């Protein structure tokens, strides 16, 4: 499968613009946003503005409104000022942490274990999530914008989740971290979780919902996909990998404290206005069977270098029927 980048096209309902068109939209956005300084100026790189534009299907006015709301939120919430000591209590069970490996596309991996929830505080949980997001972004490779979530449901029951926290989580991620999630794999979710997922679907934007896949340890298709996405020697055994090293809060705390030292330079760095990723189909474009126009052949994960068949189970089915698990094609 190839993509012609010489003309404006659509990817489902999402526009694909050539670089010159992208830059024109970005320039329009800058005019609407107005003069910036300090951390807001650093935040509003061309690449960042492009993410907001993609989130709003390249509608400049909608994207500008969204970005202005984020700038206001960042000024008030100050996510870049959160440090390990502020969230250490929330983190101590290992319910969310940044893994020490990346996927084969260079994306940061956040591991989540809802059964290890140790807090009733919505404010505390969201603050820790924001810290984890900021840390994941801090550690992204230079040519990568997105991350992967691996969600382990071992030991899970419905007491471990909250509609209120889920709603606030969706709001923060969708409104203030657009286009940062590339793929979320819900690993071995129990049957009791499926009604909950159906219930929260309305609060998820379609693009976010389409990035969520269910995977099962006994499913051969899932195993193949995990092999395609990760180095199994580094991937944790909970997700079918070979690493049996348990989470160590003390070692993780040291990693995070070292990362905290990088934050000041991150927010005083010089940005390159021209460094905007080409808007080709990417790893965030995952179709679910619940889409009316989706088919097995459309359930793919795309990267800037290749198109890789995901084959992971979606929330509305417990198995997959795809035969060509590793189909790929160059994006021209």
């Amino acid at each position: 499968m190839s993509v012609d980048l010489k003309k404006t096209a659509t990817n489902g309902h999402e526009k694909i613009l050539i670089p010159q068109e992208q830059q024109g939209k970005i320039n329009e956005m800058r005019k609407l946003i107005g003069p910036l300084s300090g951390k807001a100026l650093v935040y509003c790189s061309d690449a960042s503005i492009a993410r907001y534009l993609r989130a709003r299907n390249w509608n400049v006015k909608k994207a500008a409104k969204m970005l202005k709301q984020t700038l206001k939120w960042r000024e008030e919430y100050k996510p870049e000022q959160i440090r390990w000591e502020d969230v250490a209590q929330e983190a101590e069970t290992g319910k969310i942490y940044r893994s020490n490996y990346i996927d084969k596309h260079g994306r940061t991996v956040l591991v989540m274990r809802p059964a290890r929830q140790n807090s009733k505080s919505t404010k505390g949980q969201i603050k820790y999530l924001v810290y984890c997001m900021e840390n994941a972004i801090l550690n992204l490779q230079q040519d990568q914008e997105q991350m992967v979530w691996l969600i382990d449901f071992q030991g899970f029951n419905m007491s471990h989740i909250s509609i209120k926290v889920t709603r606030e989580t969706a709001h923060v991620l969708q409104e203030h971290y657009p286009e940062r999630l590339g793929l979320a794999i819900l690993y071995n979710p129990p049957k009791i979780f499926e009604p909950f997922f159906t219930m929260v679907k309305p609060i998820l934007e379609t693009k976010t919902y389409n990035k969520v896949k269910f995977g099962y340890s006994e499913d051969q298709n899932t195993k193949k996909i995990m092999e395609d996405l990760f180095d199994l020697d580094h991937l944790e055994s909970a997700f079918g990998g070979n690493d049996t090293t348990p989470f160590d809060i003390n070692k993780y705390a040291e990693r995070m404290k070292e990362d905290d030292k990088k934050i000041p330079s991150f927010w005083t760095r010089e940005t390159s206005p021209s460094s905007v990723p080409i808007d080709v189909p990417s790893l965030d474009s995952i179709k679910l069977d619940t889409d009316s126009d989706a088919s097995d052949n459309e359930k793919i994960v795309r990267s800037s270098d290749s198109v890789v068949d995901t084959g992971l189970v979606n929330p509305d089915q417990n198995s997959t029927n795809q035969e060509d698990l590793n189909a790929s094609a160059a994006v021209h």
Side-chain angles (χ1 to χ4, degrees), residues 43-60:
Y43 184 81
C44 292
S45 64
D46 279 7
S48 183
I49 292 174
R51 284 193 297 275
Y52 282 80
L53 282 162
R54 290 199 301 273
R56 291 296 176 261
N57 205 22
W58 296 95
N59 183 304
V60 174

Side-chain angles (χ1 to χ4, degrees), residues 192-259:
I192 58 172
F193 178 77
E194 294 179 17
F196 173 82
F197 190 79
T198 300
M199 185 167 54
V200 301
K201 179 182 175 181
I203 69 177
L204 300 178
E205 294 179 356
T206 301
K207 290 180 70 174
T208 302
Y209 178 76
N210 286 348
K211 295 172 186 177
V212 177
K213 287 290 181 177
F214 282 26
Y216 298 89
S217 55
E218 299 304 316
D219 179 63
Q220 293 301 315
N221 201 46
T222 297
K223 291 179 181 179
K224 179 64 169 61
I225 297 311
M226 299 305 279
E227 290 177 4
D228 290 343
L229 285 174
F230 301 99
D231 181 337
L232 295 187
D233 286 338
H234 295 152
L235 182 68
E236 288 135 298
S237 56
F239 303 106
N242 301 324
D243 186 359
T244 58
T245 306
F247 175 77
D248 186 322
I249 184 59
N250 295 318
K251 291 181 179 179
Y252 189 67
E254 290 306 312
R255 282 178 60 200
M256 295 301 100
K257 289 175 184 177
E258 288 301 311
D259 281 355

Side-chain angles (χ1 to χ4, degrees), residues 93-154:
T93 60
K95 63 183 179 184
I96 306 177
Y97 59 89
R98 179 176 61 81
S99 72
N100 57 7
Y101 57 87
I102 57 178
D103 80 346
K104 291 182 179 179
H105 300 282
R107 296 178 294 182
T108 302
V109 177
L110 284 184
V111 174
M112 302 183 178
R113 292 192 160 95
R116 297 187 184 182
Q117 181 56 258
N118 62 334
S119 171
K120 297 293 185 180
S121 168
T122 299
K123 183 178 179 180
Q125 290 181 54
I126 296 301
K127 188 173 186 178
Y128 181 49
L129 175 67
V130 168
Y131 175 80
C132 291
M133 291 297 294
E134 294 286 312
N135 180 269
I137 292 167
L138 178 73
N139 284 280
L140 283 172
Q141 293 187 347
Q142 189 172 4
D143 59 346
Q144 185 55 261
E145 295 186 291
Q146 296 185 321
M147 63 190 73
V148 174
W149 288 6
L150 294 180
I151 307 173
D152 176 17
F153 279 84
Q154 183 177 6

Side-chain angles (χ1 to χ4, degrees), residues 308-326:
V308 183
D309 203 342
T310 67
L312 287 171
V313 182
N314 69 62
D316 300 315
Q317 64 182 45
N318 292 324
S319 62
T320 51
N321 298 316
Q322 288 178 287
E323 299 175 357
D324 214 352
L325 296 174
N326 205 23

Side-chain angles (χ1 to χ4, degrees), residues 15 17-32 49-50 53 57-61 63:
K15 292 180 182 178
L17 305 183
I18 61 174
Q20 295 93 320
E21 290 175 309
Q22 292 183 42
Q23 193 60 53
K25 297 282 188 179
I26 291 167
N27 293 342
E28 288 182 53
M29 277 272 285
R30 290 197 179 280
K31 291 180 181 178
L32 289 178
I49 292 174
L53 282 162
N57 205 22
W58 296 95
N59 183 304
V60 174
K61 289 184 178 180

